[in-house]
Amino acid sequence: MFYDVIIVGGGLAGLRAAIAAHDAGVKVGLVSKIHPVRSHSGAAQGGVNAALGNHPDGHDDTPERHAYDTIKGSDFLADQDAVELMANMAPEIIIEFEHWGCPFSRYEDGSIAQRPFGGAGFPRTCYGADRTGLYMLHTCYEQVVKRNIDVLYEHFVTRLAVKNGRCTGVIALNLHTGEFEAIAGNAVIFATGGSGRVYSINTTNAHASTGLGIAIPYWAGVALKDMEFIQFHPTGLEGSSILMTEGCRGEGGYLLNNRGERFMKNYVSEKIMELAPRDIVARSIQTEINEGRGFEDSFVHLDLRHLGEQKIKEKLPGIREICLKFKNIDPIKTPIPIHPANHYTMGGIDCDKNGETSLEGFYAAGECACVSVHGANRLGGNSLLDTIVFGTQTGRYVAGKVKGMSQTVDTDALNNGLDAEKERYERLQSSEGKANPYDIRNDLSKVMNEKIGIFRNETDMKAAVDEIKMLKIKFEKLRPIPNTVKFNYDFLWVTEIAGNLDAALAIATGALNRTESRGAHYRIDFNKRLDDEWLKHTLHTYHPSNPEITYKPVTMGKYEPEERKY
Amino acid sequence: MPTFKVFRYDPDKNDPPYFQDYEVPDHKGMTVLEALYYILENLDPTLAFRSSCRMGVCGSCAMHIDGQYGLACETQVAALGNKITIRPLAHMTVIRDMVVDLDPFFAQYEAIKPYLIPKNAPGPREYAQTPRERKKLDILVDCILCASCYGSCPVVGTDEKYLGPHALLKALRFIDDSRDGQTNERLAFVANDSGIFRCHTIFNCQQVCPKDLDPTGAIGKLKMKSLWAKLTGKLKSSG
């Protein structure tokens, strides 16, 4: 099997990259471990940012203002050239989605509706009720169907084929047949999403969002960047941690502590309140809980009642549906119990704005990538935008690179990769250990939530690094996986957990090393941002027990670091 | 502690399908999907089932749960009895356990051209669509392609040429879109014995849809629209 461009991942970034590369005239194969419409892009709710200026209070909005808000939101760790590209491309790329039929909500004049979101100077978040991701994902998949692009779904990529410093394809387990397949390509784009399941007991992320797509290139020698920056969404539903969109607050929802107080006034200006950026709101909620002003010492209230039945049903129907089905409460009548939950991986595969990495022929886009446009803290509404802007950008760029290139199938690299994966599969089947892989995953998740969470300190993080290393040793002695052939999910999850462990170690070591507080990385022992020393990206290079950490400069531009006040 | 009676089948082994019982410790708010994960992770790693978002939006975990089609992730264990029977979706080939072959389901979806074919060439700005026009798409655009309706439909089970409730609902989603310019072509494609006239109006699809959509109603609407198109001479197909 040969494609000019292999795209791994069927979420918004992968689909949009596939369309861009296909439209540029190259042969594209999209490989995904789940069917594209099952991707977690579809769970995005609140919206996508673009300075369209449609909102009545947003007519003066501009891409420049969008870029500034994003850079300030990132605590100045984002690369400014990439942010400007994203903000500038945003309007045209949203309009394109609309032209493809995306069912955005509307204003009376027929234009796309926008709502206020955290950390934004103007209301610029375009939305389709509270199902924006679902609508965009399906619209993008529809365009892939229209173009008849090859989609290999339920093909589980486990390894890159690399020869002489060049990526020449991927090895995937076809879940339908139980056979490993070598897929050759002149370029490979990873668009595999985030790693929220490293924190599995408290994450908004899907079971599929394990971070294996970050670990696979990491194992192959590609550096990761800024992994210590993990976003905790302020409002995960108590218990299941299911996302309660920022749109709840954008539409006017309140956060209340056990005294019935809108506590955000104690943390930010009264003008901003609940619409501060996520890192700040998450810390504020956690502080309320830690200081005894939460409920049952574990949650606060997200109160929508004053918005009224009509507005809730019209603008937030998905939130109401989730509350009814998963919590048996109706937000029209009852406040929603929420606590912060792991949500987004700001870091990821180190790449530039064309998706280019240190490995020739290997590219990345979307949440698995770190361009970086989100720096130390992503603004709400910028993740959907990141997927479609950098999906497009990378798809086009890579198509340009491979166009006219002769079909190079490196049989050696592919066969070696195939052999290695088959051998690993057999080794797992004949394993003589006793350890349950899922216990290891649960223990890992506990370590990460307790010790690399919203508030961090050296003692905890040192302990976390040691515990992750112990778990990695334990993972070497697993109980055998079953010998079923088709849809061997135990093999899949065991492989995912291997990725979880190394992603976690990268997160923990990066966090321990960074002796400052910036964006979502907040240390109680170093609670100030220290630009002189730390205005730089972390680079993580794989090593089984001690990941190597180096740093590289942030691409600055017209915005000088300033105190981040809201 | 409820017992889960779970359908098991592996065509690579020579055994016929069977049911296997698992006792699963439950807790407040536990979902059927969580119970299946408990089985996979603690009792039997050979169990195969699809899942991803666990919040009712990705459509992976549709199955037959104690007599009703629906999503495992949003079905509460407490709402069911002490013996809970889990089976795969019907009308599709079982690949293993709860995993069925969805290729025919997606082929029918693709057959209706599930993408906007715009009436007008795009300009620099969005196509204007008023809130009223957009409202016509409400709920139609909420389909997550989980195939609960498909598994529940007896016509799907007896006529492989039938387009199915999901594809017909999707056809209406584009016909009702003020931006789409292919109404008559789309109607012509569905107004025949493999399309809307094959529906027996049994309402299973409407009853089971986890998103409260109404494919039966959508098919009814398509029938009216095609009848009107025929009466006004816009539709020439047979049926």
Side-chain angles (χ1 to χ4, degrees):
Chain A
M1 222 180 315
F2 176 86
Y3 293 101
D4 292 319
V5 180
I6 300 165
I7 292 164
V8 181
L12 270 171
L15 294 170
R16 191 60 194 81
I19 293 167
H22 171 91
D23 289 355
V26 301
K27 174 86 174 150
V28 176
L30 190 142
V31 187
S32 177
K33 67 183 175 186
I34 52 181
H35 190 281
V37 300
R38 312 293 182 220
S39 305
H40 205 51
S41 304
Q45 298 170 341
V48 53
N49 296 335
L52 295 179
N54 290 351
H55 190 283
D57 299 330
H59 294 321
D60 295 331
D61 197 12
T62 60
E64 290 73 36
R65 190 53 213 255
H66 181 182
Y68 168 74
D69 289 340
T70 301
I71 290 161
K72 184 178 168 191
S74 82
D75 225 346
F76 296 89
L77 192 68
D79 287 333
Q80 298 193 10
D81 57 335
V83 174
E84 282 176 349
L85 174 87
M86 179 172 83
N88 287 333
M89 270 175 81
E92 63 183 272
I93 212 141
I94 292 302
I95 296 293
E96 178 181 58
F97 261 77
E98 195 283 331
H99 289 161
W100 286 348
C102 187
F104 289 111
S105 296
R106 301 288 176 152
Y107 290 121
E108 281 303 328
D109 67 357
S111 62
I112 296 169
Q114 295 180 290
R115 61 167 49 122
F117 247 44
F122 292 98
R124 69 168 70 92
T125 306
C126 310
Y127 65 92
D130 57 356
R131 299 191 170 105
T132 316
L134 176 73
Y135 298 161
M136 289 177 68
L137 178 68
H138 279 249
T139 301
C140 209
Y141 180 65
E142 288 161 10
Q143 292 299 312
V144 165
V145 169
K146 182 180 177 187
R147 286 162 175 77
N148 212 11
I149 294 169
D150 278 7
V151 175
L152 310 177
Y153 78 94
E154 293 176 326
H155 280 56
F156 177 51
V157 171
T158 54
R159 176 184 285 264
L160 300 180
V162 180
K163 175 109 181 269
N164 300 331
R166 187 181 166 79
C167 181
T168 61
V170 296
I171 309 300
L173 177 69
N174 179 345
L175 296 175
H176 288 257
T177 60
E179 297 288 329
F180 281 99
E181 294 173 6
I183 307 168
N186 281 342
V188 173
I189 302 174
F190 262 37
T192 56
S195 61
R197 283 279 151 181
V198 171
Y199 291 75
S200 60
I201 51 171
N202 180 26
T203 178
T204 64
N205 283 199
H207 287 281
S209 302
T210 60
L212 180 62
I214 292 172
I216 289 171
Y218 181 50
W219 290 330
V222 180
L224 306 182
K225 184 161 73 196
D226 294 340
M227 287 296 286
E228 63 268 36
F229 298 100
I230 299 289
Q231 179 160 83
F232 280 77
H233 197 287
T235 57
L237 187 61
E238 194 271 323
S240 60
S241 304
I242 292 173
L243 176 66
M244 295 284 105
T245 174
E246 188 162 318
C248 294
R249 286 169 285 135
E251 293 296 342
Y254 297 152
L255 290 171
L256 302 175
N257 60 20
N258 66 12
R259 301 170 181 170
E261 183 188 19
R262 280 180 74 190
F263 56 83
M264 283 309 298
K265 69 175 189 298
N266 303 324
Y267 300 91
V268 291
S269 76
E270 299 228 2
K271 202 172 135 243
I272 302 292
M273 292 298 275
E274 282 85 355
L275 284 180
R278 290 177 177 173
D279 56 339
I280 294 171
V281 182
R283 276 197 292 276
S284 307
I285 293 172
Q286 199 58 51
T287 303
E288 292 296 305
I289 295 169
N290 292 353
E291 294 179 359
R293 292 185 297 277
F295 298 88
E296 299 169 28
D297 285 333
S298 65
F299 60 89
V300 298
H301 280 156
L302 170 62
D303 194 351
L304 306 181
R305 290 174 297 177
H306 58 287
L307 302 182
E309 182 171 346
Q310 196 193 341
K311 191 167 184 180
I312 292 173
K313 283 185 171 168
E314 209 168 282
K315 301 263 180 95
L316 302 165
I319 289 303
R320 181 161 181 260
E321 183 195 345
I322 291 167
C323 288
L324 286 167
K325 284 180 174 164
F326 289 87
K327 209 75 191 163
N328 200 22
I329 57 165
D330 185 347
I332 293 170
K333 297 181 197 126
T334 313
I336 308 169
I338 57 91
H339 54 62
N342 167 290
H343 183 59
Y344 190 84
T345 311
M346 262 84 70
I349 301 161
D350 175 36
C351 68
D352 67 8
K353 56 184 188 277
N354 296 318
E356 202 146 35
T357 71
S358 59
L359 176 62
E360 202 187 334
F362 180 77
Y363 304 81
E367 190 173 342
C368 71
C370 182
V371 175
S372 152
V373 284
H374 309 304
N377 172 64
R378 176 176 70 75
L379 292 188
N382 269 352
S383 65
L384 287 176
L385 182 62
D386 171 355
T387 64
I388 57 178
V389 164
F390 292 102
T392 308
Q393 180 76 5
T394 304
R396 274 183 199 152
Y397 179 79
V398 173
K401 280 270 198 182
V402 300
K403 215 167 183 181
M405 219 185 248
S406 60
Q407 179 172 323
T408 45
V409 179
D410 188 330
T411 328
D412 279 358
L414 293 165
N415 285 342
N416 290 344
L418 267 181
D419 290 347
E421 281 310 290
K422 284 179 188 163
E423 198 260 330
R424 187 173 70 86
Y425 194 89
E426 282 158 20
R427 195 158 19 93
L428 285 168
Q429 281 189 334
S430 57
S431 173
E432 286 175 353
K434 288 264 186 302
N436 180 337
Y438 306 103
D439 290 343
I440 294 174
R441 182 205 58 202
N442 292 346
D443 289 349
L444 175 71
S445 164
K446 208 160 166 276
V447 170
M448 296 306 283
N449 278 291
E450 285 172 4
K451 301 195 166 113
I452 318 279
I454 294 175
F455 294 107
R456 303 171 174 182
N457 67 70
E458 179 168 323
T459 317
D460 279 353
M461 289 193 286
K462 272 192 168 152
V465 169
D466 290 344
E467 286 169 44
I468 297 165
K469 287 178 184 171
M470 290 300 290
L471 290 170
K472 276 171 64 86
I473 292 168
K474 240 180 162 177
F475 191 75
E476 297 300 311
K477 297 192 178 69
L478 292 183
R479 57 123 174 94
I481 64 163
N483 62 358
T484 47
V485 179
K486 293 170 180 145
F487 285 90
N488 189 339
Y489 276 113
D490 191 52
F491 168 75
L492 180 141
W493 292 120
V494 165
T495 308
E496 303 275 18
I497 294 164
N500 285 167
L501 285 163
D502 279 315
L505 194 55
I507 294 167
T509 48
L512 178 61
N513 257 34
R514 187 176 281 271
T515 49
E516 66 154 354
S517 288
R518 183 183 297 272
H521 173 66
Y522 190 89
R523 291 185 60 147
I524 53 174
D525 48 355
F526 293 93
N527 63 1
K528 292 274 180 302
R529 192 179 81 198
L530 303 171
D531 287 332
D532 288 346
E533 198 183 343
W534 287 109
L535 184 56
K536 56 190 180 187
H537 294 297
T538 306
L539 289 180
H540 318 250
T541 307
Y542 176 67
H543 181 276
S545 54
N546 289 305
E548 188 194 327
I549 293 203
T550 51
Y551 294 92
K552 78 171 184 183
V554 175
T555 306
M556 302 303 287
K558 58 183 162 196
Y559 305 105
E560 284 299 314
E562 57 184 79
E563 195 193 350
R564 195 162 153 253
K565 279 189 95 168
Y566 290 95
Chain B
M1 200 186 290
T3 303
F4 281 77
K5 188 181 162 201
V6 182
F7 177 91
R8 302 301 311 273
Y9 180 53
D10 185 348
D12 293 315
K13 307 215 152 73
N14 284 324
D15 309 325
Y18 60 99
F19 283 93
Q20 192 165 349
D21 285 355
Y22 302 97
E23 287 195 351
V24 178
D26 54 344
H27 57 80
K28 191 167 178 273
M30 188 186 212
T31 65
V32 169
L33 182 66
E34 288 172 317
L36 293 174
Y37 268 112
Y38 182 87
I39 296 169
L40 169 75
E41 295 179 359
N42 300 288
L43 305 177
D44 187 346
T46 67
L47 186 65
F49 58 92
R50 292 182 171 114
S51 82
S52 188
C53 76
R54 66 81 174 88
M55 56 186 275
V57 74
C58 79
S60 301
C61 64
M63 55 188 75
H64 190 255
I65 305 159
D66 229 24
Q68 182 74 288
Y69 292 95
L71 301 177
C73 71
E74 54 178 43
T75 305
Q76 297 283 320
V77 171
L80 307 169
N82 257 333
K83 186 124 183 165
I84 299 165
T85 307
I86 305 289
R87 300 198 293 191
L89 291 174
H91 312 324
M92 285 166 271
T93 307
V94 176
I95 302 175
R96 212 160 73 71
D97 300 342
M98 243 50 65
V99 179
V100 296
D101 180 8
L102 286 163
D103 283 351
F105 171 84
F106 281 111
Q108 286 152 340
Y109 155 85
E110 289 183 20
I112 63 103
K113 297 190 178 167
Y115 41 83
L116 191 80
I117 304 175
K119 208 184 287 179
N120 304 311
R125 292 294 302 195
E126 59 266 57
Y127 292 119
Q129 184 174 53
T130 64
R132 220 175 128 166
E133 289 168 332
R134 171 60 183 78
K135 199 154 181 54
K136 284 177 83 175
L137 305 182
D138 270 1
I139 82 166
L140 289 172
V141 291
D142 292 345
C143 174
I144 58 173
L145 295 172
C146 69
S148 290
C149 60
Y150 195 78
S152 78
C153 174
V155 181
V156 167
T158 51
D159 182 355
E160 63 181 25
K161 288 203 200 96
Y162 179 48
L163 280 169
H166 66 305
L168 294 171
L169 179 109
K170 190 64 80 180
L172 183 66
R173 176 254 174 274
F174 288 103
I175 287 168
D176 267 357
D177 194 317
S178 59
R179 299 166 292 181
D180 194 85
Q182 294 282 298
T183 298
N184 293 325
E185 292 81 352
R186 292 184 190 279
L187 283 174
F189 187 75
V190 300
N192 54 55
D193 287 346
S194 301
I196 50 178
F197 299 122
R198 197 81 183 88
C199 168
H200 291 186
T201 329
I202 296 158
F203 289 98
N204 279 5
C205 53
Q206 183 208 58
Q207 195 196 336
V208 303
C209 177
K211 298 289 113 182
D212 290 331
L213 313 186
D214 180 9
T216 318
I219 293 166
K221 215 170 160 191
L222 288 169
K223 285 178 180 167
M224 285 198 298
K225 279 177 185 281
S226 58
L227 186 64
W228 181 249
K230 227 171 154 52
L231 288 171
T232 53
K234 287 178 186 146
L235 192 61
K236 301 243 158 38
S237 81
S238 64

